[in-house]
mmCIF file of all heavy atoms in Angstrom:
data_model
loop_
_atom_site.group_PDB
_atom_site.id
_atom_site.type_symbol
_atom_site.label_atom_id
_atom_site.label_comp_id
_atom_site.label_asym_id
_atom_site.label_seq_id
_atom_site.Cartn_x
_atom_site.Cartn_y
_atom_site.Cartn_z
ATOM 1 N N ALA Q 1 0.860 -1.184 0.012
ATOM 2 C CA ALA Q 1 0.004 0.005 0.016
ATOM 3 C C ALA Q 1 0.893 1.233 -0.003
ATOM 4 O O ALA Q 1 1.091 1.864 1.030
ATOM 5 C CB ALA Q 1 -0.918 -0.012 1.208
ATOM 6 N N PRO Q 2 1.469 1.569 -1.139
ATOM 7 C CA PRO Q 2 2.517 2.599 -1.168
ATOM 8 C C PRO Q 2 1.993 4.002 -0.951
ATOM 9 O O PRO Q 2 0.842 4.318 -1.203
ATOM 10 C CB PRO Q 2 3.098 2.469 -2.597
ATOM 11 C CG PRO Q 2 1.944 1.942 -3.381
ATOM 12 C CD PRO Q 2 1.204 1.024 -2.466
ATOM 13 N N LYS Q 3 2.868 4.862 -0.465
ATOM 14 C CA LYS Q 3 2.624 6.290 -0.349
ATOM 15 C C LYS Q 3 2.873 6.935 -1.748
ATOM 16 O O LYS Q 3 3.213 6.229 -2.697
ATOM 17 C CB LYS Q 3 3.523 6.886 0.696
ATOM 18 C CG LYS Q 3 3.451 6.162 2.052
ATOM 19 C CD LYS Q 3 2.529 6.825 2.977
ATOM 20 C CE LYS Q 3 2.508 6.288 4.397
ATOM 21 N NZ LYS Q 3 2.921 4.912 4.607
ATOM 22 N N PRO Q 4 2.762 8.259 -1.835
ATOM 23 C CA PRO Q 4 3.002 8.914 -3.151
ATOM 24 C C PRO Q 4 4.367 8.560 -3.734
ATOM 25 O O PRO Q 4 5.340 8.314 -3.043
ATOM 26 C CB PRO Q 4 2.933 10.425 -2.764
ATOM 27 C CG PRO Q 4 2.024 10.470 -1.591
ATOM 28 C CD PRO Q 4 2.324 9.204 -0.802
ATOM 29 N N ASP Q 5 4.404 8.515 -5.051
ATOM 30 C CA ASP Q 5 5.592 8.085 -5.806
ATOM 31 C C ASP Q 5 6.591 9.265 -5.861
ATOM 32 O O ASP Q 5 6.497 10.098 -6.778
ATOM 33 C CB ASP Q 5 5.162 7.640 -7.200
ATOM 34 C CG ASP Q 5 6.287 6.993 -7.973
ATOM 35 O OD1 ASP Q 5 7.397 6.814 -7.382
ATOM 36 O OD2 ASP Q 5 6.094 6.658 -9.167
ATOM 37 N N ILE Q 6 7.526 9.303 -4.901
ATOM 38 C CA ILE Q 6 8.457 10.418 -4.882
ATOM 39 C C ILE Q 6 9.889 9.998 -5.015
ATOM 40 O O ILE Q 6 10.808 10.834 -5.031
ATOM 41 C CB ILE Q 6 8.305 11.177 -3.512
ATOM 42 C CG1 ILE Q 6 8.635 10.266 -2.337
ATOM 43 C CG2 ILE Q 6 6.917 11.768 -3.381
ATOM 44 C CD1 ILE Q 6 8.688 11.001 -1.009
ATOM 45 N N PHE Q 7 10.148 8.690 -5.133
ATOM 46 C CA PHE Q 7 11.524 8.208 -5.212
ATOM 47 C C PHE Q 7 11.914 7.858 -6.642
ATOM 48 O O PHE Q 7 11.052 7.476 -7.456
ATOM 49 C CB PHE Q 7 11.704 6.956 -4.318
ATOM 50 C CG PHE Q 7 11.543 7.250 -2.849
ATOM 51 C CD1 PHE Q 7 10.449 6.789 -2.151
ATOM 52 C CD2 PHE Q 7 12.519 7.989 -2.162
ATOM 53 C CE1 PHE Q 7 10.296 7.050 -0.796
ATOM 54 C CE2 PHE Q 7 12.359 8.242 -0.813
ATOM 55 C CZ PHE Q 7 11.259 7.790 -0.135
ATOM 56 N N GLN Q 8 13.200 7.923 -6.916
ATOM 57 C CA GLN Q 8 13.713 7.479 -8.206
ATOM 58 C C GLN Q 8 13.554 5.976 -8.308
ATOM 59 O O GLN Q 8 13.426 5.256 -7.343
ATOM 60 C CB GLN Q 8 15.200 7.868 -8.362
ATOM 61 C CG GLN Q 8 15.452 9.352 -8.371
ATOM 62 C CD GLN Q 8 16.919 9.697 -8.463
ATOM 63 O OE1 GLN Q 8 17.779 8.829 -8.294
ATOM 64 N NE2 GLN Q 8 17.236 10.947 -8.734
ATOM 65 N N GLU Q 9 13.541 5.475 -9.567
ATOM 66 C CA GLU Q 9 13.281 4.080 -9.842
ATOM 67 C C GLU Q 9 14.287 3.152 -9.115
ATOM 68 O O GLU Q 9 13.898 2.117 -8.568
ATOM 69 C CB GLU Q 9 13.357 3.821 -11.345
ATOM 70 C CG GLU Q 9 12.968 2.406 -11.755
ATOM 71 C CD GLU Q 9 11.523 2.079 -11.424
ATOM 72 O OE1 GLU Q 9 10.659 2.995 -11.389
ATOM 73 O OE2 GLU Q 9 11.230 0.873 -11.143
ATOM 74 N N GLU Q 10 15.541 3.580 -9.007
ATOM 75 C CA GLU Q 10 16.549 2.765 -8.349
ATOM 76 C C GLU Q 10 16.209 2.583 -6.878
ATOM 77 O O GLU Q 10 16.297 1.461 -6.319
ATOM 78 C CB GLU Q 10 17.939 3.416 -8.465
ATOM 79 C CG GLU Q 10 19.035 2.651 -7.808
ATOM 80 C CD GLU Q 10 20.373 3.367 -7.899
ATOM 81 O OE1 GLU Q 10 20.431 4.457 -8.504
ATOM 82 O OE2 GLU Q 10 21.364 2.837 -7.379
ATOM 83 N N VAL Q 11 15.742 3.652 -6.218
ATOM 84 C CA VAL Q 11 15.405 3.577 -4.801
ATOM 85 C C VAL Q 11 14.164 2.735 -4.632
ATOM 86 O O VAL Q 11 14.046 1.965 -3.687
ATOM 87 C CB VAL Q 11 15.214 4.988 -4.192
ATOM 88 C CG1 VAL Q 11 14.760 4.905 -2.752
ATOM 89 C CG2 VAL Q 11 16.495 5.778 -4.304
ATOM 90 N N LYS Q 12 13.183 2.887 -5.515
ATOM 91 C CA LYS Q 12 11.942 2.113 -5.452
ATOM 92 C C LYS Q 12 12.222 0.624 -5.468
ATOM 93 O O LYS Q 12 11.640 -0.166 -4.738
ATOM 94 C CB LYS Q 12 11.021 2.506 -6.609
ATOM 95 C CG LYS Q 12 10.333 3.830 -6.419
ATOM 96 C CD LYS Q 12 9.695 4.343 -7.695
ATOM 97 C CE LYS Q 12 8.714 3.349 -8.266
ATOM 98 N NZ LYS Q 12 8.091 3.876 -9.502
ATOM 99 N N GLN Q 13 13.124 0.216 -6.364
ATOM 100 C CA GLN Q 13 13.468 -1.210 -6.479
ATOM 101 C C GLN Q 13 14.135 -1.728 -5.208
ATOM 102 O O GLN Q 13 13.917 -2.863 -4.775
ATOM 103 C CB GLN Q 13 14.319 -1.444 -7.715
ATOM 104 C CG GLN Q 13 13.608 -1.194 -9.050
ATOM 105 C CD GLN Q 13 12.333 -2.031 -9.141
ATOM 106 O OE1 GLN Q 13 12.308 -3.220 -8.839
ATOM 107 N NE2 GLN Q 13 11.272 -1.378 -9.602
ATOM 108 N N ILE Q 14 14.988 -0.895 -4.608
ATOM 109 C CA ILE Q 14 15.661 -1.286 -3.360
ATOM 110 C C ILE Q 14 14.633 -1.452 -2.266
ATOM 111 O O ILE Q 14 14.686 -2.440 -1.484
ATOM 112 C CB ILE Q 14 16.714 -0.221 -2.961
ATOM 113 C CG1 ILE Q 14 17.870 -0.202 -3.962
ATOM 114 C CG2 ILE Q 14 17.248 -0.501 -1.544
ATOM 115 C CD1 ILE Q 14 18.874 0.897 -3.720
ATOM 116 N N LEU Q 15 13.646 -0.538 -2.152
ATOM 117 C CA LEU Q 15 12.617 -0.644 -1.144
ATOM 118 C C LEU Q 15 11.791 -1.881 -1.335
ATOM 119 O O LEU Q 15 11.449 -2.588 -0.353
ATOM 120 C CB LEU Q 15 11.726 0.599 -1.198
ATOM 121 C CG LEU Q 15 12.342 1.918 -0.707
ATOM 122 C CD1 LEU Q 15 11.385 3.078 -0.898
ATOM 123 C CD2 LEU Q 15 12.796 1.820 0.727
ATOM 124 N N LEU Q 16 11.439 -2.226 -2.581
ATOM 125 C CA LEU Q 16 10.653 -3.427 -2.825
ATOM 126 C C LEU Q 16 11.413 -4.668 -2.454
ATOM 127 O O LEU Q 16 10.854 -5.627 -1.893
ATOM 128 C CB LEU Q 16 10.260 -3.469 -4.325
ATOM 129 C CG LEU Q 16 9.161 -2.467 -4.753
ATOM 130 C CD1 LEU Q 16 9.031 -2.434 -6.263
ATOM 131 C CD2 LEU Q 16 7.829 -2.842 -4.115
ATOM 132 N N GLN Q 17 12.694 -4.721 -2.769
ATOM 133 C CA GLN Q 17 13.508 -5.856 -2.438
ATOM 134 C C GLN Q 17 13.681 -6.029 -0.937
ATOM 135 O O GLN Q 17 13.538 -7.123 -0.373
ATOM 136 C CB GLN Q 17 14.888 -5.790 -3.103
ATOM 137 C CG GLN Q 17 15.835 -6.930 -2.807
ATOM 138 C CD GLN Q 17 15.305 -8.259 -3.232
ATOM 139 O OE1 GLN Q 17 14.666 -8.379 -4.275
ATOM 140 N NE2 GLN Q 17 15.510 -9.313 -2.416
ATOM 141 N N THR Q 18 13.969 -4.948 -0.236
ATOM 142 C CA THR Q 18 14.153 -5.042 1.211
ATOM 143 C C THR Q 18 12.817 -5.348 1.895
ATOM 144 O O THR Q 18 12.800 -6.000 2.927
ATOM 145 C CB THR Q 18 14.723 -3.720 1.771
ATOM 146 O OG1 THR Q 18 13.925 -2.601 1.337
ATOM 147 C CG2 THR Q 18 16.152 -3.506 1.291
ATOM 148 N N LEU Q 19 11.700 -4.896 1.336
ATOM 149 C CA LEU Q 19 10.396 -5.246 1.907
ATOM 150 C C LEU Q 19 10.182 -6.740 1.823
ATOM 151 O O LEU Q 19 9.717 -7.360 2.799
ATOM 152 C CB LEU Q 19 9.268 -4.509 1.138
ATOM 153 C CG LEU Q 19 7.854 -4.922 1.573
ATOM 154 C CD1 LEU Q 19 7.606 -4.655 3.034
ATOM 155 C CD2 LEU Q 19 6.824 -4.210 0.695
ATOM 156 N N GLN Q 20 10.535 -7.359 0.690
ATOM 157 C CA GLN Q 20 10.340 -8.787 0.587
ATOM 158 C C GLN Q 20 11.226 -9.537 1.588
ATOM 159 O O GLN Q 20 10.786 -10.533 2.195
ATOM 160 C CB GLN Q 20 10.687 -9.258 -0.833
ATOM 161 C CG GLN Q 20 10.453 -10.741 -1.059
ATOM 162 C CD GLN Q 20 10.342 -11.105 -2.503
ATOM 163 O OE1 GLN Q 20 9.935 -10.318 -3.339
ATOM 164 N NE2 GLN Q 20 10.727 -12.345 -2.844
ATOM 165 N N GLU Q 21 12.455 -9.068 1.802
ATOM 166 C CA GLU Q 21 13.341 -9.696 2.785
ATOM 167 C C GLU Q 21 12.734 -9.555 4.188
ATOM 168 O O GLU Q 21 12.772 -10.477 4.981
ATOM 169 C CB GLU Q 21 14.736 -9.036 2.764
ATOM 170 C CG GLU Q 21 15.480 -9.275 1.449
ATOM 171 C CD GLU Q 21 16.739 -8.468 1.349
ATOM 172 O OE1 GLU Q 21 17.050 -7.715 2.339
ATOM 173 O OE2 GLU Q 21 17.411 -8.508 0.321
ATOM 174 N N GLU Q 22 12.170 -8.367 4.468
ATOM 175 C CA GLU Q 22 11.593 -8.139 5.815
ATOM 176 C C GLU Q 22 10.331 -8.998 6.023
ATOM 177 O O GLU Q 22 10.109 -9.546 7.094
ATOM 178 C CB GLU Q 22 11.263 -6.656 5.986
ATOM 179 C CG GLU Q 22 10.990 -6.306 7.433
ATOM 180 C CD GLU Q 22 10.860 -4.824 7.662
ATOM 181 O OE1 GLU Q 22 10.762 -4.064 6.660
ATOM 182 O OE2 GLU Q 22 10.856 -4.398 8.823
ATOM 183 N N VAL Q 23 9.521 -9.128 4.980
ATOM 184 C CA VAL Q 23 8.327 -9.975 5.058
ATOM 185 C C VAL Q 23 8.738 -11.418 5.309
ATOM 186 O O VAL Q 23 8.143 -12.120 6.133
ATOM 187 C CB VAL Q 23 7.489 -9.870 3.777
ATOM 188 C CG1 VAL Q 23 6.411 -10.959 3.753
ATOM 189 C CG2 VAL Q 23 6.813 -8.495 3.689
ATOM 190 N N SER Q 24 9.776 -11.862 4.605
ATOM 191 C CA SER Q 24 10.240 -13.244 4.777
ATOM 192 C C SER Q 24 10.690 -13.481 6.220
ATOM 193 O O SER Q 24 10.324 -14.518 6.835
ATOM 194 C CB SER Q 24 11.390 -13.531 3.828
ATOM 195 O OG SER Q 24 11.890 -14.847 3.990
ATOM 196 N N GLU Q 25 11.477 -12.579 6.807
ATOM 197 C CA GLU Q 25 11.941 -12.718 8.173
ATOM 198 C C GLU Q 25 10.750 -12.654 9.169
ATOM 199 O O GLU Q 25 10.717 -13.388 10.142
ATOM 200 C CB GLU Q 25 12.949 -11.623 8.518
ATOM 201 C CG GLU Q 25 14.264 -11.785 7.761
ATOM 202 C CD GLU Q 25 15.243 -10.674 8.109
ATOM 203 O OE1 GLU Q 25 14.956 -9.916 9.062
ATOM 204 O OE2 GLU Q 25 16.273 -10.552 7.435
ATOM 205 N N PHE Q 26 9.784 -11.816 8.847
ATOM 206 C CA PHE Q 26 8.625 -11.673 9.716
ATOM 207 C C PHE Q 26 7.803 -12.960 9.747
ATOM 208 O O PHE Q 26 7.380 -13.393 10.812
ATOM 209 C CB PHE Q 26 7.770 -10.506 9.219
ATOM 210 C CG PHE Q 26 6.662 -10.099 10.151
ATOM 211 C CD1 PHE Q 26 6.946 -9.463 11.334
ATOM 212 C CD2 PHE Q 26 5.348 -10.371 9.847
ATOM 213 C CE1 PHE Q 26 5.938 -9.080 12.230
ATOM 214 C CE2 PHE Q 26 4.337 -10.039 10.708
ATOM 215 C CZ PHE Q 26 4.628 -9.358 11.872
ATOM 216 N N VAL Q 27 7.568 -13.524 8.577
ATOM 217 C CA VAL Q 27 6.813 -14.765 8.517
ATOM 218 C C VAL Q 27 7.512 -15.883 9.295
ATOM 219 O O VAL Q 27 6.884 -16.672 10.007
ATOM 220 C CB VAL Q 27 6.557 -15.202 7.061
ATOM 221 C CG1 VAL Q 27 5.948 -16.592 6.986
ATOM 222 C CG2 VAL Q 27 5.683 -14.175 6.367
ATOM 223 N N LYS Q 28 8.830 -15.930 9.190
ATOM 224 C CA LYS Q 28 9.599 -16.967 9.880
ATOM 225 C C LYS Q 28 9.529 -16.841 11.378
ATOM 226 O O LYS Q 28 9.778 -17.798 12.109
ATOM 227 C CB LYS Q 28 11.091 -16.902 9.444
ATOM 228 C CG LYS Q 28 11.378 -17.541 8.104
ATOM 229 C CD LYS Q 28 12.846 -17.832 7.898
ATOM 230 C CE LYS Q 28 13.725 -16.609 8.053
ATOM 231 N NZ LYS Q 28 15.115 -16.921 7.773
ATOM 232 N N SER Q 29 9.173 -15.647 11.879
ATOM 233 C CA SER Q 29 9.129 -15.458 13.335
ATOM 234 C C SER Q 29 7.930 -16.108 13.976
ATOM 235 O O SER Q 29 7.788 -16.149 15.188
ATOM 236 C CB SER Q 29 9.152 -13.954 13.669
ATOM 237 O OG SER Q 29 7.960 -13.311 13.282
ATOM 238 N N PHE Q 30 6.978 -16.635 13.181
ATOM 239 C CA PHE Q 30 5.788 -17.303 13.667
ATOM 240 C C PHE Q 30 5.866 -18.800 13.351
ATOM 241 O O PHE Q 30 6.423 -19.168 12.317
ATOM 242 C CB PHE Q 30 4.503 -16.725 13.025
ATOM 243 C CG PHE Q 30 4.225 -15.292 13.383
ATOM 244 C CD1 PHE Q 30 4.688 -14.279 12.593
ATOM 245 C CD2 PHE Q 30 3.511 -14.980 14.542
ATOM 246 C CE1 PHE Q 30 4.435 -12.930 12.919
ATOM 247 C CE2 PHE Q 30 3.265 -13.658 14.865
ATOM 248 C CZ PHE Q 30 3.736 -12.636 14.051
ATOM 249 N N GLU Q 31 5.274 -19.584 14.206
ATOM 250 C CA GLU Q 31 5.129 -20.989 13.879
ATOM 251 C C GLU Q 31 4.100 -21.147 12.755
ATOM 252 O O GLU Q 31 3.073 -20.475 12.798
ATOM 253 C CB GLU Q 31 4.652 -21.800 15.115
ATOM 254 C CG GLU Q 31 5.673 -21.878 16.249
ATOM 255 C CD GLU Q 31 6.864 -22.740 15.861
ATOM 256 O OE1 GLU Q 31 6.671 -23.652 15.044
ATOM 257 O OE2 GLU Q 31 7.973 -22.431 16.333
ATOM 258 N N PRO Q 32 4.337 -22.033 11.764
ATOM 259 C CA PRO Q 32 3.391 -22.217 10.665
ATOM 260 C C PRO Q 32 1.981 -22.605 11.202
ATOM 261 O O PRO Q 32 1.914 -23.545 12.027
ATOM 262 C CB PRO Q 32 3.994 -23.327 9.831
ATOM 263 C CG PRO Q 32 5.445 -23.296 10.159
ATOM 264 C CD PRO Q 32 5.548 -22.860 11.601
ATOM 265 N N PRO Q 33 0.916 -21.927 10.800
ATOM 266 C CA PRO Q 33 -0.397 -22.281 11.294
ATOM 267 C C PRO Q 33 -0.915 -23.592 10.710
ATOM 268 O O PRO Q 33 -0.787 -23.820 9.524
ATOM 269 C CB PRO Q 33 -1.263 -21.099 10.838
ATOM 270 C CG PRO Q 33 -0.551 -20.573 9.625
ATOM 271 C CD PRO Q 33 0.916 -20.796 9.879
ATOM 272 N N ASN Q 34 -1.452 -24.447 11.576
ATOM 273 C CA ASN Q 34 -1.972 -25.742 11.122
ATOM 274 C C ASN Q 34 -3.385 -25.657 10.580
ATOM 275 O O ASN Q 34 -3.822 -26.514 9.808
ATOM 276 C CB ASN Q 34 -1.928 -26.750 12.283
ATOM 277 C CG ASN Q 34 -0.512 -27.042 12.710
ATOM 278 O OD1 ASN Q 34 0.393 -27.150 11.889
ATOM 279 N ND2 ASN Q 34 -0.295 -27.139 14.024
ATOM 280 N N ASP Q 35 -4.123 -24.644 10.995
ATOM 281 C CA ASP Q 35 -5.519 -24.490 10.523
ATOM 282 C C ASP Q 35 -5.911 -23.004 10.562
ATOM 283 O O ASP Q 35 -5.097 -22.143 10.934
ATOM 284 C CB ASP Q 35 -6.458 -25.327 11.418
ATOM 285 C CG ASP Q 35 -6.272 -25.066 12.896
ATOM 286 O OD1 ASP Q 35 -6.066 -23.897 13.282
ATOM 287 O OD2 ASP Q 35 -6.296 -26.032 13.691
ATOM 288 N N LYS Q 36 -7.134 -22.742 10.175
ATOM 289 C CA LYS Q 36 -7.593 -21.353 10.112
ATOM 290 C C LYS Q 36 -7.651 -20.674 11.485
ATOM 291 O O LYS Q 36 -7.456 -19.460 11.607
ATOM 292 C CB LYS Q 36 -8.963 -21.293 9.424
ATOM 293 C CG LYS Q 36 -8.865 -21.239 7.913
ATOM 294 C CD LYS Q 36 -10.126 -20.620 7.313
ATOM 295 C CE LYS Q 36 -9.852 -20.211 5.851
ATOM 296 N NZ LYS Q 36 -10.998 -19.486 5.288
ATOM 297 N N LYS Q 37 -7.963 -21.452 12.512
ATOM 298 C CA LYS Q 37 -8.038 -20.878 13.850
ATOM 299 C C LYS Q 37 -6.668 -20.368 14.287
ATOM 300 O O LYS Q 37 -6.548 -19.284 14.775
ATOM 301 C CB LYS Q 37 -8.561 -21.920 14.850
ATOM 302 C CG LYS Q 37 -8.681 -21.392 16.265
ATOM 303 C CD LYS Q 37 -9.203 -22.473 17.221
ATOM 304 C CE LYS Q 37 -9.278 -21.932 18.625
ATOM 305 N NZ LYS Q 37 -9.761 -22.953 19.610
#
């Protein structure tokens, strides 16, 4: 859910890549859910 587009393309790509790395680490911090509950 990005904010206004104010960064150069190079910076935007770095932010997207680091976001994916952070999401990956965040997901790993939880035990995998066995069911919807």
Side-chain angles (χ1 to χ4, degrees):
K3 307 264 187 334
D5 189 4
I6 62 174
F7 294 109
Q8 296 178 348
E9 186 63 29
E10 180 182 0
V11 177
K12 285 166 56 179
Q13 293 305 315
I14 293 174
L15 290 176
L16 287 170
Q17 178 60 38
T18 52
L19 174 60
Q20 183 162 330
E21 294 172 3
E22 193 171 13
V23 168
S24 179
E25 291 180 10
F26 189 73
V27 172
K28 281 197 303 184
S29 69
F30 295 93
E31 292 292 330
N34 295 320
D35 51 40
K36 276 204 163 186
K37 181 180 179 182

